[in-house]
Amino acid sequence: MSENQKLCKIELLEDDKMKLDMFLLMTTKYRQEEMETWKELSKERNQDGTPVYKNAESNAKWWGDLCSAIPRISDAIKKYEYVIEKTNSMETEEKNEPDICE
């Protein structure tokens, strides 16, 4: 994590946590294919040597960065303990507001 990033909390229901983790796992191949596709497209050149797809290189980098970040995100999802406070009444249930990332 770089210096300019800050940690923040995200509150999820246990079921949503499991769904998010499963989604990240199930879409791994898609992300990898996107990264590889953009890498290949970044190699294509016009006759004058300019890139056919001017944003392909930055897109490949973005997908690569995302692919690198997903394991860290997935680990955080698995390690974080979620505490759900239950009360006798829905009206008196306390809600802890999550930290807001700015």
Side-chain angles (χ1 to χ4, degrees):
M1 183 168 53
S2 68
E3 296 176 14
N4 60 348
Q5 294 179 339
K6 101 177 205 182
L7 293 174
C8 63
K9 294 180 193 176
I10 300 173
E11 290 186 2
L12 296 171
L13 297 172
E14 184 68 25
D15 189 51
D16 292 341
K17 178 186 99 157
M18 289 185 295
K19 287 176 183 172
L20 178 57
D21 191 43
M22 183 60 67
F23 174 78
L24 292 174
L25 180 64
M26 292 174 62
T27 58
T28 299
K29 186 172 175 77
Y30 172 79
R31 288 187 303 276
Q32 291 170 341
E33 288 174 351
E34 281 290 322
M35 180 182 63
E36 291 304 319
T37 298
W38 284 111
K39 280 182 181 180
E40 289 302 312
L41 291 173
S42 71
K43 296 174 185 175
E44 293 187 21
R45 299 285 183 235
N46 292 311
Q47 289 180 348
D48 64 359
T50 60
V52 172
Y53 304 100
K54 67 178 185 173
N55 295 319
E57 192 172 323
S58 62
N59 288 352
K61 183 184 178 330
W62 186 88
W63 281 102
D65 292 346
L66 181 62
C67 288
S68 297
I70 294 298
R72 184 184 73 249
I73 295 167
S74 185
D75 286 347
I77 291 168
K78 291 174 186 167
K79 290 177 184 176
Y80 188 78
E81 292 184 14
Y82 295 87
V83 179
I84 301 173
E85 294 181 8
K86 294 184 179 180
T87 62
N88 294 333
S89 168
M90 293 293 283
E91 296 174 6
T92 59
E93 183 175 323
E94 288 185 36
K95 294 185 179 182
N96 296 324
E97 294 295 322
D99 293 339
I100 298 174
C101 297
E102 295 178 5

